[in-house]
Amino acid sequence: MCGIVGVVGLRDATPLLFGALRRLEYRGYDSAGIATLVNGHIERRRAEGKLDNLGIVLERFALPGVTGIGHTRWATHGAPTEGNAHPHGTERVSVVHNGIIENHAELRAELEQAGQNFTTETDTETVAQMVDLHLKQGMTPSQAAHACLKRLHGAYALAMIFAGHPELMIGARHGAPLAVGFGEDEMFLGSDSLALAPLTRRIAYLRDGDWAVLSRHGAEFFDLDGTPAPFEIKTSALPGGAIGKDGYRHYMEKELHEHPLVIGQTLQRMIDPATRRVVLPELPFDLATIPRITMTACGSAFYAGLIGRSWLESEARIPVDADVASELRYREPPLARGGLGLLISQSGETADTLAALRSLREAGQHVLSVLNVAESTMARESDIVLDTIAGPEICVASTKAFTAQLSVLACLAIATGRARGTIDEAREEILVQALLDLPGRAAELFGLAPMIQQAAQIVAEARDVLYLGRGSHFPVALEGALKLKEISYIHAEAYAAGEMKHGPIALIDRNVPIVASAPSGRLFDKTASNLQEAQARGGRLLVFTDPDGAARMERIAECTIVLPETHAFAAPILHSIAVQMLAYEVALLKGTDVDQPRNLAKSVTVE
Ligand code: M6R
């Protein structure tokens, strides 16, 4: 997945495009490029690696022009080299693309047969070469683009400019998002409204399958048959200013420190301060009669969903199926109509989650999404959205959005329990109080930094790490292992603590540290026994627990990190922050690129 942007107007295009690419860099940073029209000719600058590299190229070789397109790439087809960097094209057309053209091999063979000369390994170049061929055959740019779009299979958001047409830009989308921005005497295209926020707040989202022809005066929208298509201009609420690190070393460090604020803000939306009861927005279905929930998401969002599942099942006694979105959408589980599809996503653009949303809807499920980006595609396609108030999350590794998702899911579980009569007022009061205590408890966690740094020294020396947890703390272990892999490149595996003896125990020796999330409570003794088994085999234990659990752990653990006392219901939220902090400290020791780890992108908009 990649970020794309385009402008047609009167101002110098390159600085506008570069600024927008900066806001899109979360989508990928394997390479970047810009093309503009200079005296009617297409000129481009490209660079391998991060956007800063393109900045250096642009300083040396300025790129004038008032009409242009830009791209930041997360490689899918073709190595992340300058040669494969977008924009792609010929002397007649230049194209940027987000998505995957699935029938590119077949189209490429056809176009090569027709005499088109390919210069890259990318699927995107097929689009450029096909449009080029149609232009050579005498079609207008709109005719050429339309003829090409009808041949494409797969997912695309596209922006194109044409030599000899200084006031023209064409955009198209199918399965990948594209926003059209309306300015004063200038028009824009962008992968999302965040990219366009400093340029314009007036945004229309292309419907799936539609395309648009833009001049600096406005835009015409069409469907794939070429029939004029409706569109609606909305005012984006996103901040236009740049998001800084506010003195922190990394966005991740800043975002970790925002946990207390984000949890507080998110809870404030869902808990009535007067009655101290959970109040959800009006739902288009009845939580009391929903027979079953199907929860799906990807990565960290899925792990948040697993914790949500344990709350929904234990507090609301409702069955919850859980599967990662990339599996759920092809598994085709039999679902009785009238169930609830529960989708969780920070970006609201993750291709797998979006496709799962659509398949759940087709299966007759209501669709409730927990989202951080209110202007995302998933927000537009859901029956109801519960917002996480985490603000923009810049670091590729998710932190504050994860705990905001947990805050929403905890409130959803309470509201569902109340609707189904499994939670009475007294129980609700206890659970709500546990949640309201969280911002304060989360702030206390930062005082544990010296202990966490000590544990990080042990983890940083390892090649492999095991993470263990039971019940709602197994997903905490999954989150801890994922975060460590993402930002420190150390191999980590998470297991339900009771599963260790069924195989992974064979891995244990002094070189494989074991990180455990083990608060006191119902499952503590069981987890402690599992950890004892590991310690007996030479395992080095690093244990996150609470004051009650600490006494027993101190005897067996090399490092016991004592989290503040909290109710068992809220404990997974605190423990998640702690394992994220550990991953951050390890990454610092390893000297990795914390905010933009290799091979990753923040929003994965391809399958
Ligand atoms: O935007 P989403 O929440 O849908 O993204 C889902 C995953 O791609 C995301 O959580 C990913 O696993 C993060 N890099 C985790 O830190």
Side-chain angles (χ1 to χ4, degrees):
M1 78 253 95
C2 310
I4 70 171
V5 61
V7 56
V8 46
L10 296 171
R11 290 193 277 170
D12 206 4
T14 296
L16 304 182
L17 294 169
F18 193 81
L21 289 180
R22 183 65 81 201
R23 294 169 78 89
L24 286 172
E25 212 182 1
Y26 73 89
R27 289 176 158 258
Y29 34 81
D30 286 334
S31 65
I34 289 179
T36 60
L37 288 171
V38 182
N39 300 323
H41 300 291
I42 295 167
E43 286 222 17
R44 71 177 170 179
R45 307 282 182 265
R46 300 179 299 167
E48 187 177 326
K50 297 204 175 153
L51 193 57
D52 288 341
N53 297 348
L54 178 66
I56 295 166
V57 172
L58 287 167
E59 263 171 35
R60 291 184 61 202
F61 306 102
L63 190 57
V66 296
T67 296
I69 52 179
H71 189 268
T72 177
R73 179 169 189 240
W74 185 77
T76 58
H77 291 60
T81 58
E82 184 185 329
N84 285 327
H86 297 217
H88 294 298
T90 66
E91 64 193 38
R92 276 165 282 273
V93 60
S94 188
V95 178
V96 288
H97 168 218
N98 167 32
I100 295 178
I101 307 298
E102 285 170 0
N103 58 338
H104 71 101
E106 168 202 329
L107 294 174
R108 184 177 179 129
E110 197 181 295
L111 289 161
E112 281 176 338
Q113 190 118 46
Q116 292 300 113
N117 215 347
F118 280 74
T119 56
T120 76
E121 303 154 22
T122 65
D123 53 329
T124 306
E125 197 186 351
T126 342
V127 179
Q129 293 291 350
M130 199 183 333
V131 172
D132 183 75
L133 178 64
H134 292 323
L135 291 170
K136 284 195 283 191
Q137 289 165 339
M139 290 188 193
T140 64
S142 293
Q143 289 168 337
H146 184 206
C148 169
L149 294 174
K150 289 203 279 192
R151 297 287 317 279
L152 304 180
H153 297 167
Y156 57 76
L158 292 161
M160 309 179 198
I161 54 172
F162 302 85
H165 297 269
E167 289 214 0
L168 174 68
M169 179 164 65
I170 291 182
R173 79 161 282 203
H174 183 263
L178 190 62
V180 177
F182 291 73
E184 291 298 322
D185 255 344
E186 55 188 3
M187 291 289 293
F188 308 95
L189 289 171
S191 289
D192 60 27
S193 47
L194 181 66
L196 302 183
L199 305 171
T200 178
R201 293 248 164 119
R202 298 176 63 230
I203 304 285
Y205 292 95
L206 260 87
R207 296 181 318 171
D208 218 29
D210 285 358
W211 55 292
V213 179
L214 286 77
S215 73
R216 70 184 163 91
H217 305 294
E220 292 176 288
F221 290 64
F222 302 96
D223 66 17
L224 212 48
D225 296 330
T227 309
F231 64 94
E232 190 187 346
I233 302 176
K234 291 190 170 162
T235 304
S236 164
L238 290 170
I243 298 151
K245 290 186 199 149
D246 296 350
Y248 291 102
R249 289 165 290 181
H250 299 99
Y251 283 107
M252 182 168 182
E253 188 183 29
K254 177 185 169 203
E255 288 162 5
L256 281 168
H257 279 81
E258 286 173 348
H259 275 300
L261 178 73
V262 161
I263 295 169
Q265 285 174 169
T266 304
L267 292 175
Q268 221 171 39
R269 281 274 184 109
M270 315 192 83
I271 295 175
D272 178 344
T275 60
R276 298 170 88 77
R277 300 195 79 188
V278 171
V279 184
L280 296 185
E282 199 177 325
L283 303 175
F285 47 82
D286 185 358
L287 283 173
T289 55
I290 291 285
R292 185 172 204 91
I293 295 178
T294 305
M295 184 285 288
T296 189
C298 300
S300 282
F302 179 67
Y303 302 150
L306 290 180
I307 296 173
R309 173 177 71 173
S310 69
W311 288 329
L312 282 158
E313 289 187 340
S314 62
E315 297 295 338
R317 309 301 301 148
I318 184 166
V320 183
D321 283 333
D323 204 354
V324 289
S326 54
E327 286 297 316
L328 180 78
R329 57 180 296 197
Y330 294 114
R331 220 183 74 211
E332 298 176 8
L335 294 171
R337 301 187 82 75
L340 177 63
L342 172 58
L343 291 298
I344 305 159
S345 173
Q346 187 283 128
S347 62
E349 300 293 352
T350 302
D352 289 318
T353 314
L354 181 58
L357 182 157
R358 290 172 180 159
S359 64
L360 286 168
R361 181 180 292 296
E362 266 170 39
Q365 307 299 292
H366 303 287
V367 174
L368 183 156
S369 298
V370 177
L371 302 174
N372 196 40
V373 181
E375 295 172 21
S376 58
T377 309
M378 283 177 62
R380 290 192 293 280
E381 297 196 15
S382 300
D383 296 330
I384 179 88
V385 174
L386 299 182
D387 295 311
T388 53
I389 318 296
E393 193 179 60
I394 307 294
C395 176
V396 167
S398 189
T399 52
K400 60 176 180 167
F402 182 79
T403 45
Q405 287 159 355
L406 292 178
S407 306
V408 169
L409 291 167
C411 290
L412 178 65
I414 295 172
T416 310
R418 212 179 52 221
R420 301 169 81 82
T422 57
I423 290 182
D424 60 15
E425 238 173 76
R427 178 75 182 157
E428 178 169 8
E429 210 176 304
I430 292 169
L431 299 182
V432 164
Q433 190 55 51
L435 294 176
L436 292 177
D437 286 343
L438 269 172
R441 300 280 183 274
E444 286 173 42
L445 287 179
F446 300 107
L448 297 177
M451 280 306 282
I452 293 179
Q453 282 155 5
Q454 205 180 310
Q457 299 277 356
I458 298 169
V459 173
E461 283 164 18
R463 211 188 59 177
D464 307 288
V465 184
L466 276 184
Y467 279 71
L468 299 178
R470 268 181 185 258
S472 58
H473 287 256
F474 170 44
V476 172
L478 287 163
E479 166 65 1
L482 175 65
K483 220 96 300 176
L484 188 75
K485 282 184 266 206
E486 282 188 297
I487 63 170
S488 75
Y489 315 145
I490 293 174
H491 171 238
E493 291 292 337
Y495 281 93
E499 268 295 292
M500 192 187 58
K501 57 186 176 292
H502 296 291
I505 199 164
L507 294 173
I508 291 174
D509 62 21
R510 280 205 61 76
N511 302 318
V512 183
I514 296 154
V515 179
S517 172
S520 60
R522 199 166 60 93
L523 300 175
F524 179 77
D525 286 341
K526 303 272 177 219
T527 311
S529 302
N530 300 138
L531 296 180
Q532 201 112 39
E533 290 152 16
Q535 194 248 2
R537 287 159 179 85
R540 301 173 75 181
L541 303 180
L542 317 174
V543 183
F544 292 96
T545 185
D546 50 30
D548 279 351
R552 176 146 179 211
M553 285 304 163
E554 264 158 10
R555 285 201 298 276
I556 55 168
E558 183 161 344
C559 190
T560 306
I561 301 159
V562 187
L563 275 55
E565 187 88 65
T566 186
H567 190 282
F569 181 71
I573 305 186
L574 274 195
H575 280 242
S576 301
I577 301 173
V579 293
Q580 291 173 349
M581 287 169 69
L582 175 64
Y584 178 68
E585 293 296 342
V586 176
L588 287 183
L589 292 170
K590 300 291 275 187
T592 53
D593 189 342
V594 174
D595 287 330
Q596 294 185 326
R598 68 186 182 203
N599 302 340
L600 299 181
K602 181 89 184 141
S603 170
V604 185
T605 55
V606 292
E607 255 195 79

